[in-house]
């Protein structure tokens, strides 16, 4: 019998990482390695998509306010400034906490763009997901909403699209009338969505005298929730010093009750009597900011009372994200 000729495989061209297309997870990797895509170049892509970015808004102007609008404030907007200016036909780009029908973004009839902040995102990097939505909104036809999707793992982030020198000045609204320029001519679906959203909105106000502090009113008591940029451990030490000294409150009947963790930042929370308004807490908050600055500058070891106060504050932390 004639010998079988040995089987030879033709060499596949070797592609660089930037040339590897995305294929099905169980299909052979286009790079020619012989492995499935999910075990080869797909592994890095999947990791990039799912890896959680702890501080997605770091580096943006107003990082603390981005966190507040994402997690704490029902109805607010902020004008966004793009690198290189606005594209032709786009008169403005506005960040909004929530959009009608939970749309990720909306290109209005006049060409302006509304970008929703509180939507669910498909990856572990909110900044990348929002940047992808923003890019698609800028290119969408006027008068159309933008649907959600998983952003490409190598796509830009908000930090790449927004002007790092641009101001970020949130405007808190009583309701969601900013959704539509003319509420009388809104579609029935949008009108119904607007009514539901307004009914669920908790009255909220941004303090003017300190950064990123938001007062809100609930049926039983009011609250102040203050997003702070300091490192968590340093901030908890400082809060514990003030708490142990009896100086962590914001006036009579107020109490520092704990804090939230949100997107890599810490948000101390105070209970306020139901009669205390946002205006009432402006001066006490400014005075507390001065006390906190002094406590942050202290590096002495915590006393036993301060350690107990810190343990209590730590036990009353709630992670929002």
């Amino acid at each position: 019998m004639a010998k079988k000729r040995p089987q030879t495989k033709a060499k596949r061209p070797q592609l660089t990482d930037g040339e590897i297309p995305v294929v099905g997870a169980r299909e052979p990797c286009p790079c020619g390695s012989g492995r499935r895509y999910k075990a080869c170049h797909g592994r890095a892509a999947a990791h990039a998509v799912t890896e959680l970015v702890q501080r997605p808004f770091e580096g943006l102007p107003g990082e603390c306010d981005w966190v507040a609008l994402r997690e704490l404030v029902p109805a607010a907007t902020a004008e966004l400034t793009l690198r290189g200016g606005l594209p032709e036909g786009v008169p403005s780009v506005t960040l909004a906490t929530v959009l009608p029908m939970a749309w990720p973004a909306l290109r209005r009839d006049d060409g302006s763009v509304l970008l929703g902040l509180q939507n669910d995102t498909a990856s572990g990097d909110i900044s990348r997901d929002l940047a992808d939505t923003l890019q698609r909104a800028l290119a969408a036809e006027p008068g159309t909403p933008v649907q959600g999707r998983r952003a490409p793992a190598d796509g830009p982030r908000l930090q790449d699209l927004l002007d790092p020198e641009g101001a970020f000045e949130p405007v808190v609204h009583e309701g969601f009338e900013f959704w539509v320029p003319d509420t009388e001519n809104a579609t029935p679906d949008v009108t119904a969505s607007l009514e539901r959203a307004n009914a669920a909105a908790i009255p909220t106000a941004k303090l003017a005298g300190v950064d990123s502090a938001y007062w809100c009113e609930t049926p039983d008591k009011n609250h102040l929730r203050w997003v702070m940029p300091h490192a968590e451990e340093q901030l908890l030490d400082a809060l514990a010093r003030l708490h142990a000294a009896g100086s962590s409150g914001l006036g009579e009947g107020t109490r520092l009750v704990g804090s939230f963790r949100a997107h890599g930042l810490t948000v101390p929370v105070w209970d306020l009597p139901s009669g205390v308004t946002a205006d009432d807490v402006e001066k006490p908050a400014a005075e507390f900011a001065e006390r906190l600055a002094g406590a942050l500058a202290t590096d002495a070891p915590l006393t036993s009372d301060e350690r107990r106060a810190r343990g209590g504050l730590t036990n009353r932390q709630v992670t929002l994200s």
Side-chain angles (χ1 to χ4, degrees):
M1 295 178 64
K3 289 185 178 180
K4 291 184 178 180
R5 298 180 61 184
Q7 297 293 315
T8 59
K9 292 184 178 179
K11 288 188 176 180
R12 288 187 173 184
Q14 296 299 307
L15 304 178
T16 65
D17 287 351
E19 298 174 324
I20 306 297
V22 176
V23 299
R26 300 177 66 84
E27 295 176 1
C29 186
C31 75
S33 67
R35 292 182 291 174
R36 291 177 176 175
Y37 177 72
K38 69 176 183 179
C40 191
H41 280 82
R43 177 179 296 172
H47 179 72
V49 168
T50 59
E51 184 179 12
L52 178 64
V53 176
Q54 297 291 339
R55 289 181 62 178
F57 307 118
E58 185 176 15
L60 292 174
E63 178 189 7
C64 293
D65 286 312
W66 277 89
V67 172
L69 267 58
R70 167 75 183 185
E71 299 294 340
L72 306 173
V73 182
T77 56
E79 297 300 312
L80 299 180
T81 305
L82 305 186
R83 290 181 184 265
L86 295 167
E88 184 178 356
V90 180
S92 64
V93 175
T94 303
L95 182 75
T97 48
V98 180
L99 293 181
M101 313 298 292
W103 288 325
L106 172 65
R107 183 87 186 272
R108 283 176 160 166
D109 291 335
D110 66 354
S112 60
V113 168
L114 287 177
L115 177 67
L117 180 58
Q118 293 184 8
N119 295 77
D120 292 335
T121 54
S123 79
D125 187 354
I126 297 171
S127 179
R128 196 179 308 281
D129 288 328
L130 289 171
D132 177 68
T133 300
L134 175 56
Q135 283 190 313
R136 291 186 292 123
L138 292 170
E141 291 294 325
T144 59
V146 175
Q147 303 299 327
R149 74 170 189 181
R150 172 166 287 182
D154 59 350
R157 307 178 72 236
L158 286 174
Q159 288 81 347
D160 302 315
L161 302 184
L162 301 184
D163 185 348
E165 303 299 324
F168 188 77
E169 300 175 353
V171 178
V172 178
H173 304 274
E174 293 183 0
F176 295 87
E177 282 72 20
F178 63 84
W179 281 353
V180 286
D182 184 3
T183 55
E184 293 183 359
N185 294 321
T187 65
D189 285 345
V190 170
T191 299
S193 183
L194 178 61
E195 291 174 351
R196 288 193 300 270
N198 282 344
I202 296 174
T204 301
K206 186 178 188 297
L207 298 196
V210 295
D211 293 333
S212 310
Y214 291 82
W215 169 95
C216 67
E217 180 182 23
T218 62
D220 296 329
K221 62 185 69 175
N222 299 341
H223 305 278
L224 185 73
R225 300 176 292 191
W226 193 339
V227 187
M228 296 187 172
H230 317 290
E232 180 179 7
E233 296 302 313
Q234 181 189 17
L235 177 58
L236 287 175
D237 281 353
L239 292 173
R241 295 182 196 278
L242 297 178
H243 203 58
S247 58
S248 63
L250 300 174
E252 185 178 354
T254 69
R255 187 166 67 98
L256 175 63
V257 293
S259 62
F260 297 130
R261 283 196 190 102
H263 306 292
L265 299 182
T266 304
V267 188
V269 179
W270 286 262
D271 278 353
L272 312 173
S274 58
V276 174
T277 67
D279 289 339
D280 293 335
V281 83
E282 285 279 6
K283 183 179 178 181
E287 293 171 346
F288 176 85
E290 294 181 1
R291 297 196 299 273
L292 179 63
L296 287 167
T298 302
D299 57 5
L302 295 180
T303 66
S304 57
D305 287 344
E306 290 168 348
R307 288 196 299 271
R308 282 193 294 271
R310 194 187 194 282
L313 291 172
T314 303
N315 290 336
R316 295 193 296 275
Q317 279 190 310
V318 176
T319 300
L320 300 180
S321 60

